Amino acid sequence: MKVTKYEHATLVVTTADQNLVIDPGMFLTPPDFANTVAVVITHEHGDHWSEDNLRRILEISPDATIYGPQGVADAAAGFDVHVVKAGDAVEAGPFALRFFGEKHAVIHESIPVPDNLGVLVNDELYYPGDSYTVPDGVEVGTLAAPVGAPWLKIGDAMDFVLAVKPRRAFFSHEMTLSVAGKSMQADRLKWATEQNGGTWIPLEVGESVDL
């Protein structure tokens, strides 16, 4: 299984020449993801999905299945979204998907809190979306850890990594940060990963890791 990091929140997981796309948001360069069997959208915010990017993926891979919480189905009403919730498990081609959590992290009391689901792929890769949801009872092999966001305080993000105890981790959700800010935040998450014997993988856009 190979994981490729794209801009901000987008990941592509590849197994046997088939792709799973996670969170193709508005910061993503227009995608050319052939052989996509499924798309997971963790929540409805525009930095995690856009109509243009989702439509482009489906033009290239028209049989791809879209999974997301009810908030995504409501926001993407023009698409056939298979609604999933915490505790659900589905099979999509070579990908086994398990879903965790219910809500986005709180930005401010004045801002509505949307649905949000973390996803565990093939019992190896965990991506929490915009949340600190720890997948209880799961030994996470690889964690995509959020590094910057309006809702993120670095101490909370460090505590999240410490609680998950991944064997490997890399950053996601970085487009709100300057180069200097990303470096500083990533160093903190690297420290948190290493406290439980994990390895930090400094993936940049377009880079991949084989799991």
Side-chain angles (χ1 to χ4, degrees):
M1 184 169 77
K2 179 175 74 173
V3 179
T4 304
K5 176 177 169 38
Y6 288 86
E7 292 92 344
H8 196 56
T10 305
L11 303 177
V12 176
V13 187
T14 305
T15 296
D17 295 323
Q18 297 186 75
N19 290 321
L20 165 70
V21 180
I22 301 175
D23 281 359
M26 63 186 180
F27 296 123
L28 175 65
T29 300
D32 184 15
F33 301 143
N35 302 318
T36 296
V37 297
V39 179
V40 171
I41 301 173
T42 61
H43 64 284
E44 64 206 64
H45 286 161
D47 57 332
H48 290 257
W49 87 283
S50 78
E51 182 174 341
D52 287 346
N53 281 337
L54 188 53
R55 195 174 304 282
R56 182 175 174 85
I57 291 168
L58 293 176
E59 287 173 353
I60 299 169
S61 300
D63 294 327
T65 303
I66 307 166
Y67 297 99
Q70 184 62 52
V72 168
D74 294 342
F79 298 91
D80 183 13
V81 177
H82 291 243
V83 174
V84 286
K85 61 184 183 303
D88 285 351
V90 300
E91 301 283 336
F95 303 105
L97 309 176
R98 296 168 60 191
F99 297 95
F100 298 84
E102 294 182 358
K103 292 295 181 180
H104 192 285
V106 174
I107 299 172
H108 186 263
E109 62 182 10
S110 66
I111 300 174
V113 180
D115 298 334
N116 179 93
L117 288 176
V119 61
L120 180 69
V121 182
N122 289 350
D123 291 326
E124 168 62 32
L125 172 69
Y126 182 61
Y127 178 67
D130 282 9
S131 79
Y132 297 126
T133 299
V134 176
D136 291 337
V138 174
E139 293 186 7
V140 173
T142 306
L143 173 66
V147 73
W151 48 269
L152 186 149
K153 183 174 75 174
I154 193 59
D156 293 339
M158 293 166 69
D159 284 341
F160 171 66
V161 175
L162 289 168
V164 175
K165 300 181 177 66
R167 293 191 298 274
R168 290 168 296 275
F170 60 90
F171 65 74
S172 65
H173 216 277
E174 77 282 1
M175 293 287 282
T176 61
L177 300 175
S178 68
V179 173
K182 183 178 74 172
S183 177
M184 292 172 61
Q185 302 279 77
D187 282 347
R188 298 298 187 186
L189 297 188
K190 177 178 184 289
W191 175 89
T193 302
E194 292 173 345
Q195 296 316 293
N196 289 297
T199 300
W200 180 254
I201 306 169
L203 284 186
E204 297 290 347
V205 172
E207 295 182 342
S208 305
V209 59
D210 291 315
L211 305 177

